[in-house]
Amino acid sequence: VPENWSGSVCFAIEYFWTLGTLYSNGLAALVIESLGWRVYLLFSALPILLACVGYFFLEESPMWLLDRGYDYEAWQVLQRIGRINGKDLSNMALVSYAREADPSCRELLVPSLRRSLLSLGIIWWLGLFGYYGASLGSGLIFSSSGSFDYAELIFSSMGEIAGVTVAMCLAWRVSEITIQPWFYLVSTLACLAVLIAHELKAPALLLGALAFILRAGSMGAISVT
């Protein structure tokens, strides 16, 4: 991937979380009530099988192979990648190198990194707690008398697409550190609004819109984190 597109590709990876969520919700709407939860679990495993098939087509990382001392294998992988992309790498040579020492997690505990480690750890923990809380809580928000409103559930899940897209567009103009707290603020306020609206028996349309904003804010925050 060209360097100027690497940031966008990292953001685009987050779309697959949402696609998985939409697949699961849509599948549940079509299968659970008519065929039962066992069939639902069976079809839920299909994407995993596709990922296993991809193992036979994806190349190993040339950088990892070179780092482990497999110079010839790394060169072969680069040759195959070059042929697929129409590039002639026959004149290329790899320079072998050896690391002085294997990295250790203890390096993160040095005094100069402890504050950053603690801060990032707390942000990640709270961010993921909020994201999965919003995802799993949607089932409770849109359930009534043992049944789910799958239309509202799918609509709110699509908020994640909006969140990633907005985060990616903003990251082109300002830094991720600048926009990160704003996404967390939006998701926090939306969470409080959803709680109040649910307790006040607000219309489903309003509840769905607030849940959409909640999912957008939480996914946007995770993306920039």
Side-chain angles (χ1 to χ4, degrees):
V1 177
E3 185 176 354
N4 59 329
W5 284 98
S6 60
S8 299
V9 171
C10 290
F11 276 107
I13 292 175
E14 304 296 338
Y15 284 121
F16 289 94
W17 286 95
T18 305
L19 291 177
T21 301
L22 293 174
Y23 172 78
S24 180
N25 292 338
L27 184 64
L30 295 174
V31 171
I32 286 184
E33 294 185 3
S34 57
L35 301 177
W37 63 269
R38 293 179 177 82
V39 177
Y40 166 75
L41 288 180
L42 178 64
F43 282 103
S44 295
L46 290 180
I48 301 176
L49 295 178
L50 293 177
C52 293
V53 172
Y55 168 81
F56 298 98
F57 299 95
L58 293 177
E59 296 284 1
E60 184 57 85
S61 168
M63 184 177 295
W64 182 86
L65 291 171
L66 192 65
D67 181 65
R68 294 297 174 177
Y70 300 109
D71 297 11
Y72 180 70
E73 288 80 0
W75 182 82
Q76 286 184 315
V77 170
L78 287 174
Q79 294 297 316
R80 288 194 292 268
I81 294 175
R83 284 195 297 270
I84 293 174
N85 291 277
K87 303 292 184 180
D88 183 14
L89 303 179
S90 58
N91 295 325
M92 184 194 69
L94 297 179
V95 179
S96 301
Y97 75 98
R99 289 180 299 180
E100 296 179 359
D102 289 330
S104 172
C105 291
R106 294 180 180 178
E107 297 178 12
L108 297 174
L109 301 178
V110 297
S112 60
L113 295 178
R114 287 175 185 171
R115 181 177 179 180
S116 298
L117 175 65
L118 182 62
S119 300
L120 289 174
I122 292 175
I123 291 173
W124 263 112
W125 182 76
L126 293 176
L128 291 175
F129 183 85
Y131 170 75
Y132 285 111
S135 301
L136 298 175
S138 297
L140 299 176
I141 295 172
F142 300 112
S143 63
S144 178
S145 302
S147 61
F148 292 97
D149 188 341
Y150 287 106
E152 292 287 352
L153 193 60
I154 293 173
F155 172 74
S156 64
S157 298
M158 293 180 67
E160 296 183 10
I161 298 178
V164 175
T165 303
V166 172
M168 181 168 55
C169 294
L170 290 176
W172 288 340
R173 298 184 176 275
V174 294
S175 66
E176 288 87 348
I177 296 177
T178 302
I179 62 178
Q180 183 190 67
W182 292 101
F183 275 105
Y184 280 115
L185 178 62
V186 168
S187 60
T188 301
L189 295 177
C191 183
L192 293 175
V194 166
L195 178 62
I196 295 173
H198 187 264
E199 291 298 321
L200 296 178
K201 308 297 182 181
L205 182 61
L206 175 60
L207 200 58
L210 293 174
F212 181 95
I213 298 173
L214 171 59
R215 299 290 287 273
S218 59
M219 178 53 90
I222 290 297
S223 299
V224 297
T225 303

